[in-house]
Amino acid sequence: MIYFDFAATTPLDQDAAEVYVKVAMEYFGNTQSLHDCGSQANILLENCREELAQLMGIHKKGLYFTSGGSEGNFLAIEALLSSPLKDGNHIIAGIAEHSSIHGVLNRLQKQGYDVTLIPFNADGLIDPELLLQSIRPETILITVQHVNSEIGTIQPIEKIAKIAKNNHIHFHSDFVQSFGKINLKAIAPLISSFSFSGHKIYGPKGVGGVYIKPEIPLIPFFPGGSHESGFRPGTLNVPAIAAMTAAAQKIIGRLEEDQNKFQLLRKAFIETLEPIKQWVKIYQADYERQLANIIGMRIAGIEGQWMMLECNRFDFAISTGSACQIGMQTPAKVTEALGLNKEAAKEFIRISFGHSSTTEDIIKLGETIVQIVEAFKPAPVID
């Protein structure tokens, strides 16, 4: 099967896998143990923390390891709400945020918080002016995903961070899709907190991290923890952290190479769809605000789930959106953010490229989709 669902997860990199096995066998001590085995594991852990902090341009003191992006989002939001910059109970978030964000927000609403959800404009971006207009005196938190996981648009984090700072509001961002694909050094220091995950960058599953500015006097959500300076309980998965660090070093070292490759693949795929262009709608922003390796689109008259199954029959793996959202059997959140009606939302599919993707394979996928559409003959798109 030819895999085109890299935005959902990636295969484990060979070098990262070797690091995992070596650390699991040779540095197996508990980092909190006082004997030499524990000390050696702790030294390795802190080396990983320092390396990742340098790669992202942040202070290592604010970097905590977690089980992944979802836990990171949860812990970051709770930490920021434990230490707001002013009194209030109002939160602003994007409609298209990851399900882990919406899960936290739904619970907070039951506790008395008021939440305003911001849609996308036609380019799949949050409008900073609309966000600014949504701010109230009691607004204490803004949470906006850096890169949308379903259409790949890159949100104006710098502008949002400035708005948040000027209004004394904490700003959290989900960096899961941008970590390893975009240079974060200029952006990461601007915000209060962000989350990231290992399995999106060819690292192991079940490991990630969250950054919270060290100067924020947070109160841990889980009391009494001894690991990660009390921020999170549970023995750390040092082998996975080391493997994730190795994967991060490798992918960040080839950022420019990947970006150039994915731009060419994106262009080739879109050109291949030319025979059915009257049925195809691709949701994307301008070049500067678009991650090239994620294509979110719909084909008029064909349900995305059916198209995904047809592609699967031809040995191509694509998706209908975020894997976490698919598990809920609901349309991708981005379709709501874009203002699509129920029928149009059901037509959404996502194709995402990775290191193993080739021009030949992406053209084969495009030709297969053309073949499926021409056999089905749906009605043309009406914008």
Side-chain angles (χ1 to χ4, degrees), residues 40-60:
Q40 290 168 1
N42 190 60
I43 290 170
L44 177 59
L45 172 70
E46 293 309 315
N47 285 341
C48 291
R49 195 188 313 274
E50 184 169 358
E51 176 62 22
L52 286 169
Q54 289 178 353
L55 289 173
M56 293 183 278
I58 56 175
H59 195 290
K60 66 177 183 179

Side-chain angles (χ1 to χ4, degrees), residues 155-261:
Q155 302 304 324
I157 295 299
E158 304 93 329
K159 292 181 180 179
I160 297 173
K162 186 175 181 180
I163 290 171
K165 182 178 180 181
N166 291 342
N167 289 274
H168 307 289
I169 300 169
H170 280 314
F171 177 29
H172 171 71
S173 188
D174 178 344
F175 277 13
V176 167
Q177 284 295 344
S178 58
F179 177 51
K181 287 92 170 180
I182 296 173
N183 189 337
L184 300 175
K185 284 190 173 181
I187 300 171
L190 302 178
I191 60 181
S192 306
S193 65
F194 66 81
S195 57
F196 61 96
S197 183
H199 75 103
K200 306 287 189 179
I201 61 162
Y202 305 87
K205 294 175 176 63
V207 66
V210 61
Y211 171 77
I212 300 174
K213 279 188 174 180
E215 59 265 33
I216 298 175
L218 61 90
I219 299 173
F221 183 81
F222 298 105
S226 61
H227 293 270
E228 292 300 85
S229 302
F231 178 70
R232 174 186 182 268
T235 303
L236 289 172
N237 188 347
V238 178
I241 291 168
M244 176 177 67
T245 304
Q249 291 171 318
K250 195 169 182 177
I251 197 170
I252 290 173
R254 54 180 289 174
L255 274 178
E256 186 176 351
E257 176 187 345
D258 283 347
Q259 289 170 353
N260 292 336
K261 172 184 175 177

Side-chain angles (χ1 to χ4, degrees), residues 268-329:
F269 177 71
I270 293 173
E271 287 176 351
T272 307
L273 298 180
E274 185 70 17
I276 58 167
K277 65 179 181 180
Q278 69 268 37
W279 293 298
V280 175
K281 173 66 176 178
I282 296 175
Y283 298 95
Q284 59 187 340
D286 293 337
Y287 174 84
E288 298 80 9
R289 286 289 167 192
Q290 180 66 49
L291 202 64
N293 71 305
I294 298 178
I295 297 179
M297 56 182 279
R298 66 184 180 94
I299 300 171
I302 298 182
E303 285 198 8
Q305 189 171 14
W306 187 83
M307 176 58 77
M308 181 270 291
L309 291 172
E310 281 294 286
C311 286
N312 188 74
R313 188 165 65 88
F314 286 99
D315 286 331
F316 293 101
I318 68 169
S319 77
T320 56
S322 168
C324 297
Q325 197 68 32
I326 291 167
M328 301 177 192
Q329 296 299 308

Side-chain angles (χ1 to χ4, degrees), residues 5 116 118 145 148 177 200 243 263:
D5 197 17
T116 297
I118 305 293
Q145 192 178 41
N148 180 264
Q177 284 295 344
K200 306 287 189 179
Q263 287 292 349

